[in-house]
Amino acid sequence: LSIVIQGIASKSILDGTYIILAYVLGMSIVMILITTLAFATKYLILKKLDSILPYVRKLSSVMLVIAGIYMIYYQYLLIV
């Protein structure tokens, strides 16, 4: 909003156009960089996760069994 106000308040139409174009170019460069970096890091993270995934599955299975045993034990204590 402030960029539009600066563009309108400038001395000439050409100066206002330059201000708005400079803003658009700056924001476009930032967005392109962020999008490119997000796209590139996505594949790096997926490669790392693929190597860790078998261990995560085993760990989550063990944790699920432990949680089930705890729930059974807790219910047993409530009954007794």
Side-chain angles (χ1 to χ4, degrees):
L1 184 62
S2 65
I3 299 299
V4 174
I5 292 172
Q6 281 181 337
I8 293 172
S10 63
K11 294 180 182 179
S12 69
I13 293 176
L14 194 58
D15 287 340
T17 305
Y18 287 150
I19 291 172
I20 292 174
L21 282 177
Y23 174 76
V24 168
L25 285 174
M27 289 304 291
S28 297
I29 290 171
V30 170
M31 293 305 290
I32 288 170
L33 284 174
I34 289 174
T35 304
T36 305
L37 288 174
F39 184 73
T41 56
K42 176 184 172 183
Y43 289 108
L44 293 175
I45 290 172
L46 285 177
K47 283 182 183 179
K48 290 283 186 185
L49 287 178
D50 282 342
S51 65
I52 298 173
L53 192 60
Y55 303 110
V56 171
R57 285 186 181 161
K58 289 178 185 176
L59 180 65
S60 63
S61 300
V62 169
M63 289 174 61
L64 188 60
V65 168
I66 290 172
I69 290 171
Y70 173 75
M71 289 178 68
I72 292 170
Y73 175 73
Y74 183 75
Q75 289 298 322
Y76 174 75
L77 288 179
L78 288 177
I79 294 173
V80 174

